[in-house]
Amino acid sequence: MNIAVVILNWNGKSLLKQFLPSVIKYSKEATVYLADNASTDDSILYVKESFPDVKIVTNEVNGGYAKGYNDALSKIDADIYCLLNSDVEVTKDWLTPILKNFENDNNIAAIQPKILDYKKKTHFEYAGAAGGFIDKLGYPYCRGRIFDTLEEDNNQYNDTVPIFWASGACLFIKKQVFEEVGKLDEDFFAHQEEIDLCWRIQNRGYTILYEGSSTVYHLGGATLNTMNPKKTFLNFRNSLYLLVKNVPGNKVWFVILFRMLLDGLAAFRFLTQGKFLHFFTIFKAHISFYLNFSTLIKKRKKLLKGGKYYSIFSVVWQYFILKHKHFKQL
């Protein structure tokens, strides 16, 4: 099976200088691509001069993570795509167990490696950690990360297990499955589009895997950090997009209503913390959701409806009320 490691770039020359060398060094089994999202800096020139073996794919516009990858991958032929953030450092033999899993089980559609924090390499990183799940209300959480609590890596997740969603920071996916399920939803622009993609993969009966013997280190926040109101907007809006599209049956309306109430509590919490921009951003996210509601309903009707997608009702209750901070306490 041939693999394409595809790094999406937008004005990221400094990140490419820092992280691309490890990808080149440890990815001999793969072809490495730079998918450029209409950058205005000289990052393409830098890659051409410094890493001539890296193939360049150029997008005409900056369509965010979703459209950026959709446009770029349509021009790349490989059995397996690795969607890799430009702020990820990879390690020796990181591809070996990934390829072995794909070769041994044809039902595996996507895989995520162990994602540790580049700034604190003893701990898991926010975006994916040791594999993702969601609760009934659509809140994502991970083995190794619940909300802002990051576990130390003590080899507790050095296993190979099925998960619900794989992180877009480092996502391996079969090309055939990527095209079969309809690629990334470009209306998300960025954030949680990989969860939506994985949900559709699950509904078709495929397996999504976490592979703990493959390790990468993610800087995180290189494009939008947690203090950026745009990230707040995308996370709150896209959570509602995710639920309307994918929650099966009429219970979706109960879930949406409950989630909106919790969004209101989150807005109030931002207000008490003096984070006024984030407070107003939640309302902007809901307005955007209402404006796009009819489009979401059309998408919902076209999707396959799967079964139970959660194992706990509310990670918010578990974390904030019961004080369960680690995955194994849930």
Side-chain angles (χ1 to χ4, degrees):
M1 303 180 79
N2 60 76
I3 181 170
V5 175
V6 187
I7 301 169
L8 191 65
N9 172 69
W10 181 70
N11 292 341
K13 179 180 177 180
S14 61
L15 293 174
L16 295 171
K17 278 186 173 183
Q18 185 175 0
F19 294 101
L20 187 53
S22 74
V23 180
I24 301 298
K25 183 177 181 180
Y26 296 126
S27 305
K28 302 303 182 184
E29 309 96 319
T31 303
V32 179
Y33 290 81
L34 181 75
D36 189 75
N37 244 0
S39 292
T40 55
D41 68 356
D42 60 345
S43 51
I44 292 181
L45 179 62
Y46 164 73
V47 172
K48 285 182 176 179
E49 292 180 345
S50 303
F51 305 100
D53 290 336
V54 173
K55 298 183 181 298
I56 309 292
V57 177
T58 56
N59 295 330
E60 294 182 359
V61 297
N62 177 19
Y65 183 96
K67 180 174 172 56
Y69 267 120
N70 284 348
D71 289 349
L73 296 182
S74 67
K75 305 170 188 175
I76 298 172
D77 186 27
D79 297 315
I80 301 166
Y81 297 136
C82 173
L83 284 58
L84 185 70
N85 278 16
S86 59
D87 59 346
V88 171
E89 178 184 81
V90 305
T91 60
K92 185 179 179 180
D93 297 325
W94 73 300
L95 293 177
T96 303
I98 302 294
L99 289 168
K100 185 177 180 181
N101 280 312
F102 277 121
E103 290 166 356
N104 288 344
D105 186 348
N106 191 52
N107 199 56
I108 294 173
I111 304 176
Q112 179 202 303
K114 179 192 288 188
I115 303 178
L116 298 178
D117 191 337
Y118 180 79
K119 301 182 294 296
K120 192 176 183 181
K121 292 188 173 182
T122 56
H123 285 68
F124 287 94
E125 206 275 324
Y126 184 92
F133 297 87
I134 57 173
D135 69 6
K136 187 172 183 176
L137 302 176
Y139 286 95
Y141 60 96
C142 305
R143 301 196 318 158
R145 191 275 295 174
I146 302 176
F147 290 106
D148 293 328
T149 299
L150 299 167
E151 292 183 34
E152 185 176 1
D153 177 24
N154 294 311
N155 301 321
Q156 68 271 41
Y157 301 121
N158 280 8
D159 50 5
T160 304
V161 296
I163 55 177
F164 187 76
W165 60 269
S167 171
C170 185
L171 169 62
F172 293 85
I173 185 169
K174 285 182 178 176
K175 175 185 178 181
Q176 168 256 321
V177 175
F178 183 74
E179 295 178 345
E180 177 186 337
V181 301
K183 303 183 180 182
L184 293 159
D185 188 335
E186 296 177 10
D187 286 341
F188 281 67
F189 185 79
H191 295 291
Q192 300 194 43
E193 66 280 271
E194 79 268 46
I195 303 179
D196 174 68
L197 176 68
C198 288
W199 203 328
R200 285 180 274 134
I201 291 171
Q202 298 277 5
N203 286 348
R204 289 184 179 266
Y206 291 111
T207 299
I208 300 171
L209 210 62
Y210 163 79
E211 177 50 68
S213 63
S214 173
T215 301
V216 302
Y217 297 95
H218 184 214
L219 177 63
T223 304
L224 290 175
N225 63 47
T226 55
M227 296 305 294
N228 193 314
K230 186 173 182 179
K231 186 167 186 174
T232 300
F233 170 82
L234 290 170
N235 278 333
F236 277 84
R237 185 199 66 175
N238 290 353
S239 290
L240 296 173
Y241 279 14
L242 187 72
L243 293 170
V244 169
K245 281 186 62 179
N246 296 292
V247 172
N250 290 328
K251 63 184 177 184
V252 62
W253 311 120
F254 162 78
V255 172
I256 290 291
L257 178 60
F258 210 112
R259 181 59 188 261
M260 285 182 164
L261 292 173
L262 289 176
D263 284 0
L265 291 176
F268 179 75
R269 187 165 180 257
F270 280 135
L271 187 63
T272 60
Q273 294 173 339
K275 297 178 180 179
F276 301 111
L277 280 177
H278 293 269
F279 170 77
F280 288 111
T281 294
I282 292 179
F283 289 97
K284 286 175 62 179
H286 279 225
I287 290 170
S288 179
F289 167 67
Y290 300 142
L291 292 174
N292 290 283
F293 187 76
S294 60
T295 300
L296 293 169
I297 292 298
K298 290 177 183 177
K299 290 182 179 182
R300 174 180 174 81
K301 291 178 180 178
K302 294 179 181 179
L303 295 173
L304 294 175
K305 296 302 181 290
K308 188 176 180 181
Y309 58 91
Y310 59 93
S311 58
I312 61 173
F313 177 81
S314 174
V315 71
V316 173
W317 178 266
Q318 293 274 347
Y319 184 87
F320 290 102
I321 305 302
L322 301 182
K323 305 300 182 183
H324 292 165
K325 304 295 184 179
H326 290 187
F327 179 83
K328 290 185 177 179
Q329 296 176 304
L330 300 180

